[in-house]
Amino acid sequence: MQTPEKTSRIGRPRTPRLSRKQIGREALAMFEEESGLSIPRLAERLGVRQSSFYKHVTGRDDIIELARGSLADRVHVPDLTAANLEVLIRQIFDALRTAYSLAPALLPLLLAQPVSHPAALALYDKFAEAFLRVGVPDHLIIPTLETLDSAAIGASLDAITMESAWDIPEPHRADFPHLSAAQQAVTTSHMDRFAFLADVLSVGLKAAISGGT
């Protein structure tokens, strides 16, 4: 008796070719490597048709949020349990700034939509818990997180722009004496501007807490 030949079955693959996590990771990589997002180009990078995306995402904003989630996964969260307020602000600011510097082209898009990715929400929840632990009142938690986030994004963008934001032509320096003197002082007195920004945020938060804001 002859054994019937096996026939291949054509149908859906057992596992989908795409997942939301894959899309987020590749979108983030595209922002890092190509400084922008093109859905046709993203499909090409993933080796799928563009129509395949819409089985997993609702549109461009959804892809951006998936990229945010992938970026949140790459934030190095230090031990926040033993930190006082000043150290905690510095730790969180540095952690966010370091992560944001990986994909500066993504940052303006993140500012244009609310945080909704579970990985990003979990990250901010850890930060909120740490701030509560060191005595930040409930009603100041969200303003603190928003301020730190905005400062970290701004610092990340600032780090890749021109060396100086002030361009005063030499013949006109006398027309702006105070600004010119301040610019000269910066060149002769080294300051870590990111540490300075974190310290300013810390002082401001402490003042808000002590003042009962």
Side-chain angles (χ1 to χ4, degrees), residues 68 71-72 75 89 92-97 99-100 107 110-115 120 123-124 127 131 141-157 197 201:
R68 188 203 301 269
L71 187 58
V75 174
I89 287 177
I92 293 176
F93 175 76
D94 286 344
L96 290 173
R97 183 175 63 85
Y100 287 150
L107 305 183
L110 295 184
L111 291 172
Q113 59 190 61
V115 181
L123 178 68
Y124 290 114
F127 294 158
F131 279 122
I141 296 296
I142 293 298
T144 298
L145 292 176
E146 290 173 339
T147 300
L148 273 172
D149 209 38
S150 297
I153 288 176
S156 300
L157 292 172
L197 177 55
L201 293 172

Side-chain angles (χ1 to χ4, degrees), residues 11 29 35 49 63 101 105 113 115 121 133 141-142 152 163 168 173-174 180 185 187-189 194 199 203-204 208-209:
S35 300
R49 293 181 179 180
I63 293 173
S101 66
Q113 59 190 61
V115 181
L121 292 173
R133 189 184 301 118
I141 296 296
I142 293 298
E163 183 176 346
I168 308 173
R173 295 188 72 82
S180 296
T187 65
T188 58
S189 177
F194 300 128
D199 290 341
V203 170
I209 294 172

Side-chain angles (χ1 to χ4, degrees), residues 30 36-46 48-51 53-54 57-61 63:
M30 188 174 180
L37 176 65
S38 160
I39 294 180
R41 175 72 183 120
L42 182 57
E44 181 183 340
R45 288 175 64 111
L46 284 164
V48 299
R49 293 181 179 180
Q50 186 176 338
S51 58
F53 282 119
Y54 298 103
V57 299
T58 58
R60 184 182 177 86
D61 289 351
I63 293 173

Side-chain angles (χ1 to χ4, degrees), residues 3-192:
T3 303
E5 293 182 2
K6 292 183 178 180
T7 58
S8 59
R9 298 179 62 186
I10 299 175
R12 292 185 178 181
R14 292 185 178 181
T15 57
R17 294 187 63 186
L18 277 183
S19 70
R20 287 175 62 81
K21 198 169 190 70
Q22 284 176 306
I23 293 172
R25 285 175 177 170
E26 196 60 39
L28 178 59
M30 188 174 180
F31 277 110
E32 290 183 72
E33 298 164 14
E34 302 184 23
S35 300
L37 176 65
S38 160
I39 294 180
R41 175 72 183 120
L42 182 57
E44 181 183 340
R45 288 175 64 111
L46 284 164
V48 299
R49 293 181 179 180
Q50 186 176 338
S51 58
S52 298
F53 282 119
Y54 298 103
K55 298 175 184 177
H56 303 276
V57 299
T58 58
R60 184 182 177 86
D61 289 351
D62 198 14
I63 293 173
I64 290 168
E65 197 61 23
L66 292 175
R68 188 203 301 269
S70 291
L71 187 58
D73 286 338
R74 294 174 64 178
V75 174
H76 173 67
V77 182
D79 180 11
L80 305 175
T81 58
N84 57 31
L85 180 60
E86 292 86 350
V87 172
L88 187 59
I89 287 177
R90 178 71 64 84
Q91 286 179 328
I92 293 176
F93 175 76
D94 286 344
L96 290 173
R97 183 175 63 85
T98 299
Y100 287 150
S101 66
L102 297 173
L106 173 62
L107 305 183
L109 301 176
L110 295 184
L111 291 172
Q113 59 190 61
V115 181
S116 62
H117 194 283
L121 292 173
L123 178 68
Y124 290 114
D125 190 69
K126 289 181 183 177
F127 294 158
E129 180 186 15
F131 279 122
L132 287 168
R133 189 184 301 118
V134 297
V136 177
D138 285 350
H139 70 285
L140 289 180
I141 296 296
I142 293 298
T144 298
L145 292 176
E146 290 173 339
T147 300
L148 273 172
D149 209 38
S150 297
I153 288 176
S156 300
L157 292 172
D158 187 46
I160 62 169
T161 57
M162 72 289 291
E163 183 176 346
S164 175
W166 313 99
D167 184 12
I168 308 173
E170 191 62 38
H172 300 290
R173 295 188 72 82
D175 297 334
F176 314 101
H178 307 295
L179 188 59
S180 296
Q183 187 183 43
Q184 181 61 33
V186 168
T187 65
T188 58
S189 177
H190 173 72
M191 173 177 288
D192 183 334

